[in-house]
Coordinates of all heavy atoms in Angstrom, one line a residue:
Y140 N 8.8 33.5 -18.2 CA 7.5 34.2 -18.4 C 6.6 33.9 -17.1 O 6.1 34.8 -16.6 CB 6.9 33.8 -19.7 CG 5.7 34.5 -19.9 CD1 5.5 35.9 -20.3 CD2 4.4 33.9 -19.8 CE1 4.3 36.5 -20.6 CE2 3.2 34.5 -19.9 CZ 3.1 35.7 -20.3 OH 1.9 36.4 -20.5
A141 N 6.6 32.6 -16.8 CA 5.7 32.2 -15.7 C 6.1 33.0 -14.3 O 5.3 33.4 -13.5 CB 5.7 30.8 -15.5
L142 N 7.5 33.1 -14.1 CA 8.0 33.8 -12.9 C 7.7 35.4 -13.0 O 7.2 35.9 -12.0 CB 9.4 33.5 -12.8 CG 9.9 32.1 -12.4 CD1 11.4 32.1 -12.1 CD2 9.0 31.4 -11.3
K143 N 8.0 35.9 -14.2 CA 7.7 37.4 -14.2 C 6.3 37.7 -14.2 O 6.0 38.9 -13.8 CB 8.4 37.8 -15.5 CG 10.0 37.8 -15.5 CD 10.5 38.4 -16.7 CE 12.0 38.5 -16.5 NZ 12.7 39.0 -17.6
T144 N 5.4 36.9 -14.6 CA 3.9 37.2 -14.5 C 3.2 36.7 -13.3 O 2.1 36.9 -13.1 CB 3.3 36.7 -15.8 OG1 3.4 35.3 -15.8 CG2 3.8 37.3 -17.0
H145 N 4.2 35.9 -12.4 CA 3.7 35.4 -11.2 C 2.4 34.5 -11.4 O 1.5 34.4 -10.8 CB 3.3 36.3 -10.2 CG 4.4 37.2 -9.7 ND1 5.4 36.7 -8.9 CD2 4.9 38.5 -10.0 CE1 6.4 37.6 -8.7 NE2 6.0 38.8 -9.4
K146 N 2.5 33.7 -12.5 CA 1.5 32.6 -12.9 C 1.1 31.8 -11.8 O -0.1 31.3 -11.6 CB 1.9 31.8 -14.1 CG 0.9 30.8 -14.6 CD 1.4 30.2 -15.8 CE 0.4 29.0 -16.4 NZ 1.0 28.3 -17.5
Y147 N 2.1 31.4 -10.9 CA 1.8 30.4 -9.9 C 1.6 31.0 -8.4 O 1.7 30.4 -7.4 CB 2.9 29.4 -9.8 CG 2.9 28.5 -11.1 CD1 3.5 28.9 -12.3 CD2 2.2 27.2 -11.0 CE1 3.4 28.0 -13.3 CE2 2.1 26.4 -12.1 CZ 2.7 26.9 -13.2 OH 2.5 26.1 -14.4
Q148 N 1.5 32.4 -8.3 CA 1.3 33.0 -7.1 C 0.2 32.6 -6.4 O 0.2 32.3 -5.1 CB 1.4 34.5 -7.3 CG 1.3 35.4 -6.0 CD 1.4 36.9 -6.3 OE1 0.4 37.3 -7.0 NE2 2.4 37.5 -5.7
E149 N -1.0 32.5 -7.0 CA -2.3 32.1 -6.4 C -2.1 30.7 -5.9 O -2.5 30.4 -4.8 CB -3.4 32.2 -7.4 CG -4.7 32.0 -6.7 CD -5.9 32.2 -7.6 OE1 -5.7 33.0 -8.5 OE2 -7.0 31.7 -7.3
E150 N -1.5 29.8 -6.6 CA -1.3 28.4 -6.2 C -0.4 28.4 -5.0 O -0.6 27.6 -4.0 CB -0.8 27.6 -7.3 CG -0.7 26.1 -7.0 CD -0.2 25.1 -8.1 OE1 -0.1 25.7 -9.3 OE2 0.1 24.0 -7.8
L151 N 0.7 29.1 -5.1 CA 1.6 29.3 -3.9 C 0.7 29.7 -2.6 O 1.0 29.1 -1.5 CB 2.7 30.1 -4.2 CG 3.7 30.4 -3.0 CD1 4.4 29.2 -2.4 CD2 4.7 31.4 -3.3
E152 N -0.1 30.7 -2.7 CA -0.8 31.1 -1.6 C -1.8 30.0 -1.0 O -1.9 30.0 0.2 CB -1.7 32.5 -1.9 CG -0.7 33.7 -2.3 CD -1.5 34.9 -2.7 OE1 -2.8 34.7 -3.0 OE2 -1.0 35.9 -3.0
T153 N -2.2 29.3 -1.9 CA -3.0 28.1 -1.3 C -2.2 27.2 -0.6 O -2.6 26.7 0.4 CB -3.6 27.4 -2.7 OG1 -4.5 28.3 -3.3 CG2 -4.5 26.2 -2.3
Y154 N -1.0 26.8 -1.0 CA 0.0 26.0 -0.3 C 0.3 26.6 1.0 O 0.3 25.8 2.1 CB 1.2 25.7 -1.1 CG 1.1 24.5 -2.1 CD1 0.9 24.7 -3.4 CD2 1.2 23.3 -1.6 CE1 0.8 23.7 -4.3 CE2 1.1 22.2 -2.5 CZ 0.9 22.4 -3.8 OH 0.8 21.3 -4.7
L155 N 0.5 27.8 1.1 CA 1.0 28.5 2.4 C -0.3 28.6 3.4 O -0.1 28.4 4.5 CB 1.5 29.9 2.1 CG 2.7 30.0 1.1 CD1 3.1 31.5 0.9 CD2 3.9 29.3 1.9
N156 N -1.4 28.7 2.9 CA -2.7 28.7 3.6 C -2.8 27.3 4.2 O -3.2 27.1 5.3 CB -3.8 29.1 2.9 CG -3.9 30.6 2.5 OD1 -3.2 31.4 3.3 ND2 -4.6 31.0 1.5
K157 N -2.5 26.2 3.4 CA -2.6 24.9 3.8 C -1.7 24.6 5.0 O -2.0 23.9 6.0 CB -2.3 24.0 2.7 CG -2.3 22.5 3.0 CD -3.7 21.9 3.6 CE -3.7 20.4 3.7 NZ -4.8 20.0 4.4
A158 N -0.5 25.2 4.9 CA 0.5 25.0 6.0 C 0.0 25.6 7.3 O 0.1 25.0 8.3 CB 1.8 25.7 5.6
S159 N -0.7 26.7 7.2 CA -1.3 27.5 8.4 C -2.4 26.5 8.9 O -2.5 26.4 10.1 CB -1.8 28.8 7.9 OG -2.4 29.4 9.1
E160 N -3.3 26.1 8.0 CA -4.4 25.3 8.5 C -3.8 24.0 9.1 O -4.5 23.5 10.0 CB -5.2 24.8 7.2 CG -6.1 26.0 6.6 CD -6.6 25.6 5.3 OE1 -6.6 24.4 4.9 OE2 -7.2 26.5 4.6
D161 N -2.8 23.4 8.7 CA -2.3 22.2 9.3 C -1.3 22.5 10.5 O -0.7 21.6 11.0 CB -1.3 21.4 8.2 CG -2.2 20.7 7.1 OD1 -3.4 20.7 7.3 OD2 -1.6 20.3 6.1
E162 N -1.3 23.8 10.9 CA -0.7 24.2 12.0 C 0.9 23.8 12.0 O 1.5 23.4 13.0 CB -1.2 23.7 13.4 CG -2.7 24.0 13.7 CD -3.3 23.5 14.9 OE1 -2.7 22.5 15.4 OE2 -4.3 24.1 15.3
I163 N 1.6 24.1 10.8 CA 2.9 23.9 10.7 C 3.6 25.3 11.1 O 3.4 26.3 10.6 CB 3.2 23.7 9.1 CG1 2.4 22.6 8.6 CG2 4.7 23.4 9.0 CD1 2.7 21.2 9.4
R164 N 4.4 25.1 12.1 CA 5.0 26.3 12.7 C 6.5 26.4 12.6 O 7.1 27.4 12.8 CB 4.7 26.4 14.3 CG 3.2 26.4 14.6 CD 2.7 27.8 14.3 NE 1.2 27.8 14.6 CZ 0.1 27.8 13.8 NH1 0.4 27.5 12.5 NH2 -1.0 27.9 14.3
A165 N 7.0 25.1 12.2 CA 8.5 25.0 12.1 C 8.8 24.1 11.0 O 7.9 23.1 10.7 CB 9.1 24.7 13.4
I166 N 10.0 24.1 10.4 CA 10.3 23.2 9.3 C 11.8 22.8 9.6 O 12.6 23.3 10.3 CB 10.3 24.0 7.9 CG1 11.0 25.2 7.9 CG2 8.8 24.0 7.5 CD1 11.1 25.9 6.7
P167 N 12.2 21.6 9.0 CA 11.3 20.7 8.2 C 10.2 20.0 9.1 O 10.5 19.6 10.2 CB 12.2 19.7 7.7 CG 13.2 19.5 8.7 CD 13.4 20.9 9.3
T168 N 9.0 19.8 8.4 CA 7.9 18.9 9.1 C 7.5 17.9 8.2 O 7.2 18.2 7.0 CB 6.8 19.9 9.6 OG1 7.2 20.6 10.6 CG2 5.6 18.9 10.0
F169 N 7.5 16.6 8.6 CA 7.1 15.5 7.8 C 5.8 15.0 8.2 O 5.7 14.6 9.4 CB 8.2 14.3 7.8 CG 9.6 14.8 7.4 CD1 10.5 15.5 8.3 CD2 10.0 14.7 6.0 CE1 11.8 16.0 7.8 CE2 11.2 15.1 5.7 CZ 12.1 15.7 6.6
V170 N 4.8 14.8 7.5 CA 3.5 14.3 7.8 C 3.4 12.9 7.1 O 3.3 12.9 6.0 CB 2.4 15.2 7.3 CG1 1.0 14.6 7.7 CG2 2.5 16.6 8.0
I171 N 3.5 11.8 8.0 CA 3.5 10.5 7.5 C 2.3 9.8 8.1 O 2.2 9.6 9.3 CB 4.8 9.7 7.8 CG1 5.9 10.5 7.2 CG2 4.7 8.4 7.1 CD1 7.3 9.9 7.5
G172 N 1.3 9.5 7.3 CA 0.0 9.0 7.9 C -0.6 10.0 8.8 O -0.8 11.2 8.5
D173 N -0.9 9.6 10.1 CA -1.4 10.4 11.0 C -0.3 11.1 12.0 O -0.7 11.6 13.0 CB -2.5 9.9 11.8 CG -2.1 8.7 12.6 OD1 -1.0 8.2 12.5 OD2 -2.9 8.2 13.5
Q174 N 1.0 10.9 11.7 CA 2.0 11.4 12.6 C 2.7 12.5 11.9 O 3.0 12.5 10.6 CB 2.9 10.2 12.9 CG 4.2 10.8 13.9 CD 4.6 9.7 14.7 OE1 4.0 8.8 14.9 NE2 5.8 9.9 15.3
K175 N 3.0 13.5 12.8 CA 3.8 14.7 12.3 C 5.0 14.7 13.0 O 5.2 14.8 14.1 CB 2.9 15.9 12.5 CG 3.5 17.3 12.0 CD 2.8 18.4 12.5 CE 1.3 18.4 12.1 NZ 0.5 19.6 12.5
L176 N 6.1 14.6 12.2 CA 7.5 14.8 12.7 C 8.1 16.0 12.3 O 8.3 16.3 11.1 CB 8.4 13.6 12.2 CG 8.3 12.3 12.8 CD1 9.2 11.2 12.1 CD2 8.5 12.2 14.3
Q177 N 8.6 16.7 13.4 CA 9.2 18.1 13.2 C 10.7 18.0 13.4 O 11.2 17.5 14.4 CB 8.6 19.0 14.1 CG 9.2 20.5 13.9 CD 8.4 21.5 14.8 OE1 7.3 21.8 14.8 NE2 9.1 21.9 15.9
G178 N 11.5 18.6 12.5 CA 12.9 18.6 12.7 C 13.7 17.6 11.9 O 13.1 16.8 11.2
V179 N 15.0 17.5 11.9 CA 15.8 16.6 11.3 C 15.6 15.2 12.0 O 15.7 15.1 13.2 CB 17.4 17.0 11.5 CG1 18.3 16.0 10.9 CG2 17.6 18.4 10.8
Q180 N 15.5 14.2 11.1 CA 15.5 12.9 11.7 C 16.4 12.0 11.1 O 16.9 12.2 9.9 CB 14.0 12.3 11.3 CG 12.9 13.1 11.8 CD 12.9 13.3 13.3 OE1 13.2 12.5 14.2 NE2 12.5 14.6 13.7
T181 N 16.8 10.9 11.7 CA 17.8 10.0 11.2 C 17.1 9.1 10.0 O 15.8 9.0 9.9 CB 18.5 9.0 12.1 OG1 17.3 8.2 12.7 CG2 19.0 9.9 13.2
K182 N 17.7 8.5 9.2 CA 17.3 7.5 8.2 C 16.6 6.4 8.9 O 15.5 6.0 8.5 CB 18.4 7.0 7.4 CG 18.0 5.8 6.5 CD 19.3 5.2 5.7 CE 18.9 4.0 4.9 NZ 20.1 3.3 4.3
E183 N 17.1 6.0 10.1 CA 16.5 4.9 10.8 C 15.2 5.2 11.4 O 14.2 4.4 11.4 CB 17.4 4.5 12.0 CG 18.6 3.7 11.5 CD 19.7 4.7 10.8 OE1 19.6 5.9 11.1 OE2 20.6 4.3 10.0
T184 N 15.0 6.6 11.8 CA 13.7 7.0 12.4 C 12.7 7.0 11.3 O 11.5 6.5 11.5 CB 13.8 8.4 12.8 OG1 14.8 8.4 14.0 CG2 12.5 8.9 13.5
F185 N 13.0 7.5 10.2 CA 12.0 7.4 9.0 C 11.7 6.0 8.7 O 10.5 5.8 8.4 CB 12.6 8.1 7.8 CG 12.7 9.7 7.8 CD1 13.9 10.3 7.6 CD2 11.5 10.3 8.1 CE1 13.9 11.8 7.7 CE2 11.5 11.8 8.1 CZ 12.7 12.4 8.0
E186 N 12.7 5.1 8.5 CA 12.4 3.8 8.2 C 11.5 3.1 9.1 O 10.6 2.3 8.8 CB 13.7 3.0 8.0 CG 14.5 3.4 6.8 CD 15.8 2.7 6.8 OE1 16.4 2.3 7.8 OE2 16.4 2.5 5.6
K187 N 11.7 3.3 10.4 CA 10.9 2.8 11.4 C 9.4 3.2 11.3 O 8.4 2.4 11.4 CB 11.3 3.1 12.9 CG 12.5 2.4 13.3 CD 13.2 2.8 14.7 CE 14.4 2.2 15.1 NZ 14.9 2.6 16.4
L188 N 9.3 4.4 11.0 CA 7.9 5.1 10.9 C 7.1 4.4 9.8 O 6.0 4.3 9.8 CB 8.0 6.5 10.9 CG 6.7 7.3 10.8 CD1 6.0 7.0 12.0 CD2 6.9 8.8 10.7
L189 N 7.9 4.1 8.7 CA 7.1 3.6 7.5 C 6.7 2.4 7.8 O 5.9 1.9 7.1 CB 8.2 3.7 6.3 CG 8.6 5.2 5.8 CD1 9.8 5.0 4.8 CD2 7.5 5.8 5.2
L190 N 7.4 1.5 8.7 CA 6.9 0.2 8.9 C 5.9 0.0 10.0 O 5.3 -1.0 10.2 CB 8.1 -0.6 9.3 CG 9.2 -0.8 8.3 CD1 10.5 -1.4 8.9 CD2 8.7 -1.7 7.2
L191 N 5.6 1.1 10.7 CA 4.6 1.2 11.8 C 3.2 1.1 11.3 O 2.8 1.6 10.3 CB 4.8 2.3 12.7 CG 6.1 2.4 13.6 CD1 6.1 3.6 14.3 CD2 6.2 1.2 14.5
D192 N 2.3 0.5 12.1 CA 0.8 0.4 11.7 C 0.3 1.9 12.0 O 0.8 2.6 12.8 CB 0.1 -0.5 12.7 CG 0.4 -1.9 12.3 OD1 0.9 -2.2 11.2 OD2 0.4 -2.8 13.3
E193 N -0.7 2.2 11.3 CA -1.4 3.5 11.4 C -1.7 3.8 12.8 O -2.4 2.9 13.5 CB -2.6 3.7 10.3 CG -3.1 5.1 10.4 CD -4.1 5.2 9.3 OE1 -4.2 4.2 8.5 OE2 -4.8 6.2 9.3
G194 N -1.5 5.0 13.3 CA -1.9 5.3 14.7 C -0.8 5.0 15.7 O -0.8 5.6 16.7
T195 N 0.3 4.3 15.3 CA 1.4 4.1 16.2 C 2.3 5.3 16.2 O 2.7 5.7 15.1 CB 2.1 2.8 15.9 OG1 1.3 1.6 15.7 CG2 3.2 2.5 16.9
K196 N 2.7 5.7 17.3 CA 3.6 6.9 17.4 C 5.1 6.5 17.5 O 5.4 5.5 18.2 CB 3.2 7.9 18.5 CG 1.7 8.3 18.4 CD 1.6 9.2 17.2 CE 0.1 9.8 17.1 NZ -0.1 10.6 15.9
I197 N 5.9 7.4 17.1 CA 7.4 7.1 17.3 C 7.9 8.4 17.8 O 7.6 9.5 17.3 CB 8.0 6.7 16.0 CG1 9.4 6.3 16.2 CG2 8.0 7.7 14.9 CD1 10.1 5.5 15.1
E198 N 9.0 8.3 18.7 CA 9.6 9.7 19.2 C 10.6 10.1 18.2 O 11.5 9.1 17.8 CB 10.3 9.3 20.5 CG 9.3 9.1 21.6 CD 8.4 10.4 21.9 OE1 9.0 11.5 21.8 OE2 7.2 10.2 22.1
P199 N 10.8 11.3 17.9 CA 11.8 11.8 17.0 C 13.1 11.7 17.7 O 13.3 11.7 18.9 CB 11.4 13.2 16.7 CG 10.5 13.6 17.9 CD 9.8 12.4 18.2
Q200 N 14.2 11.5 16.8 CA 15.6 11.5 17.3 C 16.3 12.8 17.5 O 17.3 13.1 18.2 CB 16.3 10.5 16.5 CG 15.9 9.1 16.5 CD 15.9 8.5 17.9 OE1 16.8 8.4 18.5 NE2 14.7 8.1 18.3
H201 N 15.8 13.8 16.6 CA 16.3 15.1 16.7 C 15.2 16.1 16.6 O 14.1 15.6 16.3 CB 17.3 15.3 15.4 CG 18.5 14.5 15.4 ND1 19.6 14.9 16.2 CD2 18.6 13.4 14.8 CE1 20.6 13.9 16.0 NE2 20.0 13.0 15.1
D202 N 15.4 17.3 16.9 CA 14.3 18.3 16.7 C 14.8 19.6 16.1 O 14.1 20.6 16.3 CB 13.5 18.5 18.1 CG 14.4 19.1 19.1 OD1 15.6 19.3 18.9 OD2 13.8 19.4 20.2
E203 N 16.0 19.6 15.6 CA 16.5 20.8 14.9 C 15.7 21.3 13.9 O 15.2 20.6 12.9 CB 17.9 20.6 14.5 CG 18.9 20.1 15.5 CD 19.1 18.8 15.8 OE1 18.2 18.0 15.4 OE2 20.1 18.4 16.6
N204 N 15.2 22.6 14.0 CA 14.4 23.0 13.0 C 14.4 24.7 12.9 O 15.1 25.2 13.6 CB 12.8 22.8 13.5 CG 12.5 23.4 14.9 OD1 12.2 24.6 14.9 ND2 12.5 22.6 15.8
C205 N 13.7 25.2 12.0 CA 13.6 26.7 11.9 C 12.2 27.1 11.8 O 11.3 26.5 11.3 CB 14.4 27.1 10.5 SG 16.0 26.8 10.5
N206 N 12.0 28.3 12.3 CA 10.7 29.0 12.2 C 10.9 30.4 12.0 O 12.0 30.9 11.7 CB 9.8 28.8 13.4 CG 10.5 29.2 14.8 OD1 11.0 30.4 14.8 ND2 10.5 28.3 15.8
I207 N 9.8 31.2 11.8 CA 10.0 32.6 11.5 C 10.8 33.4 12.5 O 11.3 34.6 12.2 CB 8.7 33.3 11.1 CG1 7.8 33.4 12.4 CG2 8.0 32.6 10.0 CD1 6.6 34.2 12.2
D208 N 11.0 32.9 13.6 CA 11.8 33.5 14.7 C 13.2 33.2 14.6 O 14.0 33.8 15.4 CB 11.2 33.3 16.1 CG 9.8 33.9 16.2 OD1 9.5 35.0 15.8 OD2 9.0 33.2 16.8

Side-chain angles (χ1 to χ4, degrees):
Y140 179 78
L142 294 190
K143 288 185 174 180
T144 59
H145 295 287
K146 179 179 178 180
Y147 289 86
Q148 184 177 56
E149 187 174 338
E150 184 176 350
L151 174 59
E152 289 174 357
T153 299
Y154 274 100
L155 297 177
N156 289 335
K157 176 63 174 171
S159 179
E160 291 170 6
D161 289 349
E162 299 184 339
I163 306 300
R164 300 287 182 259
I166 52 173
T168 293
F169 302 85
V170 182
I171 305 175
D173 63 349
Q174 179 151 344
K175 187 185 297 182
L176 279 181
Q177 180 178 289
V179 178
Q180 306 300 324
T181 63
K182 174 186 175 184
E183 292 73 24
T184 299
F185 285 126
E186 289 177 331
K187 287 177 182 177
L188 185 57
L189 292 173
L190 293 173
L191 292 176
D192 293 329
E193 187 174 348
T195 305
K196 300 297 183 182
I197 188 171
E198 288 299 319
Q200 297 301 303
H201 296 276
D202 63 357
E203 292 87 349
N204 63 76
C205 295
N206 56 52
I207 63 171
D208 296 318

